[in-house]
Amino acid sequence: MAEMWINMGPQHPMTHGLWNLRVKVDGEVIVDAMPEIGYLHRGMEKIFENKNYTQIGPITDRLCYGSSITWNHLYCMTVENLIGVEVPERAKYIRVMAIEIQRIASHMMWLAAYAADIGLLAGFVLAMRDREIMVDLLQMLSGSRLTYNYSRIGGVAADLPPEFERDCLRAIDFFEKRIEEHETLYRDSKIFLMRSEGLGILSREDAINLGVTGPTLRASNVKYDVRKHNSYEVYDEMDFEVQCHSDCDVYGRYVVRMNEMRESCNIVRQALKKMPKGPVRVKTPMYAPEGDAIGRVEDPRGEGIMYVIGDGTDKPYRLKVRSPLFVTLSAAKKMLVGYKVADVVSIMGSIDVCMGETDK
Amino acid sequence: MDLWSVSYDLTNLLVDIVNFFIYGLGWLIPGSIGEAFDSLGDWLASPGVMRIFTILMEIILLIVVALLNVVTLIWIERKLLARFWDFRGPFYVGPLGYFQNFADGLKFFLKQIITPIKADKFSYFIAPVIFIGSSILILGTIPIGPEFGITDEGTPVPGSVILAFAIFAVAPFSILVAGWAENNKFTLIGGMRSAAQMMSYEIPLLLSVASVIVLAGSFSFVDVVEAQADMWYAVPLFIGFLVFLVCIVAEVERIPFDLPEAEAELVEGWTTEYSGMRFGFFMMTEYVRGYAGCAIAAALFLGGWNGPAIIPDEFWFLIKAYMVFVIFVWIRASLPRIRTDQILDLGWKRLLPLAMLNLVIAVVLKTLGVF
Amino acid sequence: MQGKSDLRGEETEVTVTRRVVAGIESRIGRELSAKMGGDISDLKIGRGMVRLRTERPSLLKLCRLLRDAMEFDHLSLLSAVDWDDRFEVVYHIFSYTNCCTMEVKVSVPKDDPRIDSVTPLWEGANWHEREAYDMMGIVFTNHPDPRRILLPQEYEYFPLRKDFKMDLE
């Protein structure tokens, strides 16, 4: 068979959203790859410039449907950095806890999507089932199930509901047992190892140079986590390990994510334990001063950054979003070339694609 | 009372009804045309023609029964998968949701059938016919009970095993044609994969079947099953049984070997461009092949309809076939999909030597006179 | 095909064990002003962050220095800003070794919006630069793939410029 271009997407089950992966194949072997994005572009950054700071909050939820709390929090944190507000202690702890619950939910959704990609439908169904636990917790916190809009500039929307601590601890304990169950489904499966080991190798140098972040970077053997090494909110008071893996392949990414979920459970527990009493929100001015600020968080998919420029009005002059997957996708060619067409799903599934934040 | 006599009676009845009108016309119309009608009636009632019609009737009856089994299998799969995956499965339509499949079939009937403009029309139409026709024809070769199979006045079809596998092997050809005719890169890759996979798994499959034939000394399902009255061939030919199971899963394209239609990478593989009831028939045909595979496994290795006479023989056969299918479902519920090169590796490097070894074991057993 | 053996094997992992080291920012700042001299201006030292401003001709020199001599190995963010009189490209470069962020601002005049691409240094800049071109119309010279990325190729406007008005009701 001669070399030919195959369009995987924009409507293809592998893509998990609207994007197009053009792969050039020689028979079944990939010789070139070209991701094309923009199908979901909503002009977020232009919208931000035309809304005031309060109105932007709910829009940032829509950046990524998989981890909306993280993005919402990132926005609030960036604006707080700009106007120089100190958030109450309790709000910081609540934020950390909510982010970690969201991280588990997001990783669970990744696990479900990835399992479906490699044809393990049991993994899909069971992971989606267990994600519900986390979504229920977030629903208790914020009242909604997908776009939570929980963080506000200067704190969080509401204090913990009554009995939340008890329910949360119970859910986390239950969930930790469930993770073990999920692991058995993958770790003990020879076919899963055949489909993940040695695939999509992204060496350490390439990963750093290509700007890849998050679990993909850590699976390429770089022990870097914004939470630990550029700590924000109260992460420096939390005791957790940065997960990394030396395999640089799809399996490494899987291991990193699974272990991160366990660490997140720990962090939630610690946050609940150390949480002080007090207010959860302070009043903030409507108008931001002139100047610029950046906020940097560890999104479930990588390093999320917002760069905000204020001009003294109630609207940001410029709000730039750095979405982790935007950069990770540009590394797709490096990960794909040399492997088989059937591996595309496994490799692209392993980076946890979310088009909402990529296309902005 | 066997299938032959039932079919004979039914055919007789039908021919009588038809002949009533033909002879009536012959009586009404005078002259040579009337005589022609009379002789047509005589020809219909002649033994040779009756024999052919009876065999046709047998095939129809057998296939209807088998299709009912197929529907049951789909239902079993849906229920079991649901239980494996922690939900309840269909339960609204009919008792325990049994008629859900009929509802789904009805839905397929209502869908529009779209033909791609650039498709190669003739091949596009003929490929499903070959695929579905050949798959359903397999059902006609497999007897469900000692008296519930196609016979010629009581004599079972000689070489029915060979016939079944010959028909089994037609499908890859039609899949390749379908994948090419749809004029789509994904379907073409799917068709190629399917052809490669089926061809490489045909060989270990037939080698493991050959070992059974060696032990039984006959090409007929009935003889093979009768020869297992004392011991199932799955016991002495355990390796062969495993090889057969793996190969038949690959042959009917179920997870983990469903890569010709891997929905995550090839959308739906070679069925992508088929819509409406054509797609519905494809889906059903997958299960027809699944049922055929299970039934063949039950007949060749699990003693067919041999069993304590508490229930009729046919039920023993179906129970065994269903149990094999439950294993298929179990596999589907817990394994991911394997990759093309790995599937070929597995076929040529692992299963083929094992099948050879199994054949040697069978020959040794036969030579020593154990069987 | 890449094999596992291709990975550099001497060190088992990058050790980013330190948080931002006290005083690292001013050390970097001193070193930079010694090496770059008049090419950089507006040097500000913040917590975990060094901010400075440079001119277009000296950008590549600065970036090369940052990457090769000072271990700034991760270009995390590249943003383009449309001011009244000029464009501005803002680079946020991060170092996995000492957890310090470098913010480099470069002005680009409106009548000649071109600037050297840093993609040859950090491949991660590739899509960022394409996005900056797509949204703001800043041309990155020597970019390997200078096409639009989010908008259609035949689109005529640069929507994040301030003169591109949004139709608000």
Side-chain angles (χ1 to χ4, degrees):
Chain A
M1 214 191 286
E3 289 185 354
M4 66 174 175
W5 283 100
I6 298 183
N7 280 307
M8 286 194 152
Q11 295 189 4
H12 187 280
M14 176 274 296
T15 54
H16 302 303
L18 285 172
W19 64 290
N20 184 2
L21 179 68
R22 305 187 66 211
V23 288
K24 192 180 191 183
V25 293
D26 180 9
E28 287 249 356
V29 181
I30 298 166
V31 290
D32 198 359
M34 194 196 286
E36 278 174 9
I37 61 171
Y39 295 91
L40 206 64
H41 181 60
R42 293 157 290 176
M44 281 278 193
E45 288 173 8
K46 193 71 180 176
I47 296 174
F48 292 158
E49 289 175 15
N50 290 286
K51 301 266 182 209
N52 66 35
Y53 286 108
T54 323
Q55 288 171 329
I56 293 174
I59 305 177
T60 52
D61 268 344
R62 274 78 181 163
L63 269 171
C64 177
Y65 45 81
S67 63
S68 43
I69 279 194
T70 322
W71 285 100
N72 198 6
H73 159 254
L74 169 59
Y75 165 72
C76 295
M77 197 176 85
T78 314
V79 177
E80 283 153 13
N81 286 350
L82 177 67
I83 54 186
V85 180
E86 185 63 21
V87 180
E89 274 298 288
R90 184 173 174 82
K92 285 185 180 175
Y93 277 97
I94 295 180
R95 277 180 177 184
V96 165
M97 184 195 67
I99 294 167
E100 291 307 320
I101 296 177
Q102 174 76 83
R103 188 184 313 280
I104 299 173
S106 173
H107 281 351
M108 244 17 225
M109 199 163 88
W110 163 78
L111 189 66
Y114 181 58
D117 275 347
I118 57 171
L120 180 59
L121 292 171
F124 170 75
V125 177
L126 299 182
M128 271 313 201
R129 179 193 68 184
D130 290 349
R131 175 177 174 270
E132 281 305 286
I133 303 170
M134 294 299 142
V135 176
D136 285 345
L137 283 181
L138 290 176
Q139 189 188 6
M140 286 176 76
L141 272 182
S142 66
S144 37
R145 291 175 65 82
L146 190 66
T147 48
Y148 307 98
N149 190 23
Y150 185 54
S151 294
R152 297 290 153 85
I153 300 167
V156 293
D159 204 345
L160 299 186
E163 306 283 330
F164 180 80
E165 196 172 330
R166 188 201 65 191
D167 288 359
C168 183
L169 286 177
R170 201 190 274 169
I172 294 288
D173 287 343
F174 177 69
F175 185 78
E176 278 199 324
K177 284 191 211 105
R178 276 289 169 82
I179 295 182
E180 299 297 327
E181 225 172 275
H182 284 283
E183 284 252 282
T184 56
L185 195 56
Y186 299 89
R187 193 186 48 210
D188 303 344
S189 160
K190 184 97 193 300
I191 298 181
F192 171 72
L193 297 182
M194 282 159 81
R195 289 302 304 275
S196 63
E197 273 184 332
L199 292 184
I201 287 182
L202 192 63
S203 69
R204 213 187 65 203
E205 285 74 20
D206 284 341
I208 292 176
N209 197 29
L210 283 160
V212 171
T213 48
T216 318
L217 178 76
R218 288 193 281 280
S220 287
N221 210 4
V222 180
K223 199 168 189 173
Y224 171 70
D225 190 319
V226 182
R227 292 176 289 170
K228 195 88 176 178
H229 302 107
N230 216 322
S231 153
Y232 53 99
E233 305 294 359
V234 285
Y235 274 113
D236 43 359
E237 290 170 32
M238 302 292 164
D239 176 31
F240 66 99
E241 275 290 308
V242 177
Q243 300 298 331
C244 74
H245 203 271
S246 55
D247 272 7
C248 305
D249 59 0
V250 173
Y251 182 68
R253 285 162 217 155
Y254 155 77
V255 172
V256 165
R257 284 205 174 85
M258 291 308 260
N259 288 339
E260 257 179 32
M261 280 194 266
R262 293 202 180 91
E263 290 299 332
S264 292
C265 289
N266 277 339
I267 296 176
V268 173
R269 253 190 228 111
Q270 290 175 43
L272 277 174
K273 203 168 144 206
K274 293 183 180 170
M275 196 177 287
K277 291 261 180 290
V280 293
R281 195 172 171 189
V282 291
K283 267 202 130 25
T284 50
M286 282 283 280
Y287 296 88
E290 285 185 28
D292 56 354
I294 80 165
R296 185 203 299 265
V297 295
E298 183 71 28
D299 185 70
R301 288 161 183 79
E303 179 190 42
I305 300 182
M306 277 196 192
Y307 175 61
V308 63
I309 298 178
D311 59 350
T313 62
D314 61 345
K315 291 175 183 166
Y317 187 77
R318 175 92 168 89
L319 182 60
K320 164 81 185 174
V321 181
R322 189 250 197 225
S323 70
L325 263 177
F326 183 74
V327 186
T328 310
L329 269 187
S330 70
K333 186 182 170 186
K334 205 77 165 188
M335 287 190 259
L336 285 174
V337 170
Y339 299 104
K340 304 264 189 316
V341 178
D343 294 332
V344 171
V345 280
S346 187
I347 295 169
M348 285 292 109
S350 72
I351 63 174
D352 194 3
V353 179
C354 169
M355 285 328 279
E357 51 158 281
T358 311
D359 284 349
K360 292 188 273 266
Chain B
M1 192 179 101
D2 57 1
L3 186 61
W4 173 265
S5 50
V6 173
S7 320
Y8 191 84
D9 293 348
L10 264 176
T11 321
N12 222 347
L13 187 67
L14 280 177
V15 168
D16 278 354
I17 293 170
V18 172
N19 272 358
F20 175 76
F21 290 104
I22 290 178
Y23 283 134
L25 283 172
W27 179 71
L28 281 174
I29 302 169
S32 59
I33 301 175
E35 282 167 18
F37 274 113
D38 281 348
S39 50
L40 180 65
D42 291 345
W43 178 78
L44 273 178
S46 65
V49 179
M50 277 298 288
R51 196 172 140 202
I52 291 170
F53 278 143
T54 311
I55 291 174
L56 280 178
M57 181 61 76
E58 275 183 329
I59 294 174
I60 289 170
L61 285 179
L62 199 58
I63 285 176
V64 165
V65 171
L67 283 181
L68 277 177
N69 280 318
V70 167
V71 172
T72 315
L73 281 191
I74 301 177
W75 175 77
I76 287 179
E77 164 152 50
R78 295 175 78 154
K79 276 302 208 191
L80 267 182
L81 277 186
R83 285 301 175 185
F84 277 122
W85 295 343
D86 208 4
F87 58 96
R88 287 188 58 190
F91 53 83
Y92 279 117
V93 192
L96 288 173
Y98 184 79
F99 294 115
Q100 183 68 44
N101 297 318
F102 296 95
D104 288 351
L106 199 64
K107 186 197 76 175
F108 275 126
F109 267 117
L110 299 178
K111 296 235 167 184
Q112 186 189 1
I113 292 181
I114 303 164
T115 309
I117 292 175
K118 288 193 174 174
D120 186 295
K121 296 286 183 311
F122 178 70
S123 323
Y124 184 80
F125 283 118
I126 204 71
V129 175
I130 299 174
F131 182 64
I132 297 165
S134 69
S135 300
I136 291 184
L137 204 55
I138 306 172
L139 301 180
T141 62
I142 308 166
I144 293 177
E147 293 166 347
F148 203 87
I150 294 186
T151 52
D152 182 7
E153 292 175 39
T155 325
V157 183
S160 51
V161 179
I162 291 292
L163 186 61
F165 283 99
I167 302 171
F168 233 107
V170 172
F173 164 70
S174 65
I175 290 175
L176 192 56
V177 170
W180 177 79
E182 284 163 84
N183 208 345
N184 176 327
K185 288 168 185 170
F186 290 112
T187 60
L188 182 60
I189 292 180
M192 290 285 199
R193 281 183 179 184
S194 178
Q197 173 182 331
M198 289 198 177
M199 277 167 199
S200 64
Y201 275 69
E202 200 88 337
I203 296 162
L205 180 77
L206 287 179
L207 280 177
S208 62
V209 173
S211 61
V212 171
I213 305 288
V214 166
L215 285 196
S218 166
F219 281 123
S220 161
F221 274 117
V222 179
D223 294 345
V224 172
V225 172
E226 297 300 336
Q228 295 178 75
D230 299 329
M231 188 196 273
W232 297 359
Y233 285 155
V235 180
L237 300 177
F238 187 67
I239 305 173
F241 180 53
L242 290 185
V243 170
F244 183 87
L245 274 190
V246 174
C247 289
I248 208 77
V249 172
E251 195 81 353
V252 302
E253 293 178 6
R254 293 177 57 87
I255 281 179
F257 301 120
D258 69 333
L259 40 154
E261 49 181 280
E263 72 266 12
E265 58 220 43
L266 296 183
V267 196
E268 262 301 327
W270 52 275
T271 59
T272 306
E273 299 286 354
Y274 284 97
S275 57
M277 198 55 212
R278 273 196 208 131
F279 180 73
F281 270 130
F282 272 145
M283 294 297 280
M284 193 196 71
T285 309
E286 302 273 297
Y287 286 92
V288 169
R289 294 171 72 80
Y291 167 72
C294 296
I296 292 175
L300 294 188
F301 289 95
L302 297 180
W305 48 80
N306 291 317
I310 0 167
I311 48 173
D313 292 344
E314 285 78 7
F315 283 94
W316 274 119
F317 184 83
L318 289 182
I319 286 172
K320 285 170 185 171
Y322 284 10
M323 290 319 288
V324 177
F325 190 75
V326 167
I327 296 175
F328 285 8
V329 177
W330 193 359
I331 291 172
R332 177 173 172 192
S334 45
L335 287 185
R337 184 179 302 118
I338 198 169
R339 211 172 62 207
T340 323
D341 54 329
Q342 291 165 342
I343 210 175
L344 297 183
D345 265 15
L346 186 72
W348 291 105
K349 293 185 190 159
R350 306 280 164 79
L351 292 181
L352 192 56
L354 279 178
M356 292 281 201
L357 176 69
N358 182 60
L359 187 57
V360 171
I361 292 174
V363 171
V364 168
L365 285 177
K366 188 74 179 174
T367 324
L368 292 178
V370 183
F371 282 92
Chain C
M1 190 189 281
Q2 290 169 300
K4 281 194 183 181
S5 55
D6 287 359
L7 307 175
R8 208 171 70 187
E10 304 95 75
E11 307 146 87
T12 48
E13 62 185 38
V14 175
T15 44
V16 198
T17 46
R18 285 169 291 173
R19 315 259 171 105
V20 184
V21 189
I24 184 81
E25 301 92 346
S26 45
R27 208 160 70 228
I28 288 171
R30 274 199 305 279
E31 201 175 328
L32 271 181
S33 24
K35 284 194 177 146
M36 296 296 292
D39 287 342
I40 57 172
S41 57
D42 239 359
L43 186 72
K44 283 191 210 122
I45 309 287
R47 185 177 154 276
M49 187 180 263
V50 181
R51 301 167 166 226
L52 53 86
R53 182 177 284 283
T54 186
E55 295 306 318
R56 279 197 289 171
S58 48
L59 174 71
L60 272 188
K61 188 185 160 201
L62 173 70
C63 286
R64 228 171 248 127
L65 179 73
L66 285 177
R67 192 192 69 160
D68 298 336
M70 306 178 76
E71 294 176 309
F72 279 90
D73 37 16
H74 172 51
L75 183 109
S76 24
L77 180 62
L78 188 155
S79 16
V81 189
D82 179 16
W83 295 103
D84 291 339
D85 52 340
R86 63 181 197 280
F87 291 120
E88 202 170 69
V89 182
V90 187
Y91 299 83
H92 285 94
I93 310 162
F94 185 74
S95 164
Y96 284 131
T97 320
N98 53 30
C99 285
C100 186
T101 309
M102 175 76 65
E103 184 184 295
V104 180
K105 287 183 179 167
V106 188
S107 293
V108 181
K110 283 216 160 169
D111 49 353
D112 176 31
R114 34 182 84 245
I115 187 169
D116 285 324
S117 164
V118 294
T119 308
L121 297 176
W122 296 285
E123 271 186 73
N126 188 336
W127 281 23
H128 282 309
E129 285 178 349
R130 278 176 73 183
E131 194 198 1
Y133 166 69
D134 197 359
M135 293 296 157
M136 213 61 103
I138 296 172
V139 178
F140 291 85
T141 48
N142 295 330
H143 190 277
D145 186 19
R147 290 180 303 140
R148 284 180 179 273
I149 184 163
L150 291 173
L151 300 173
Q153 301 298 332
E154 60 274 10
Y155 199 66
E156 289 170 9
Y157 311 101
F158 299 110
L160 270 185
R161 287 184 176 179
K162 289 287 176 187
D163 52 11
F164 184 93
K165 287 288 176 221
M166 234 169 106
D167 188 13
L168 295 168
E169 249 85 11

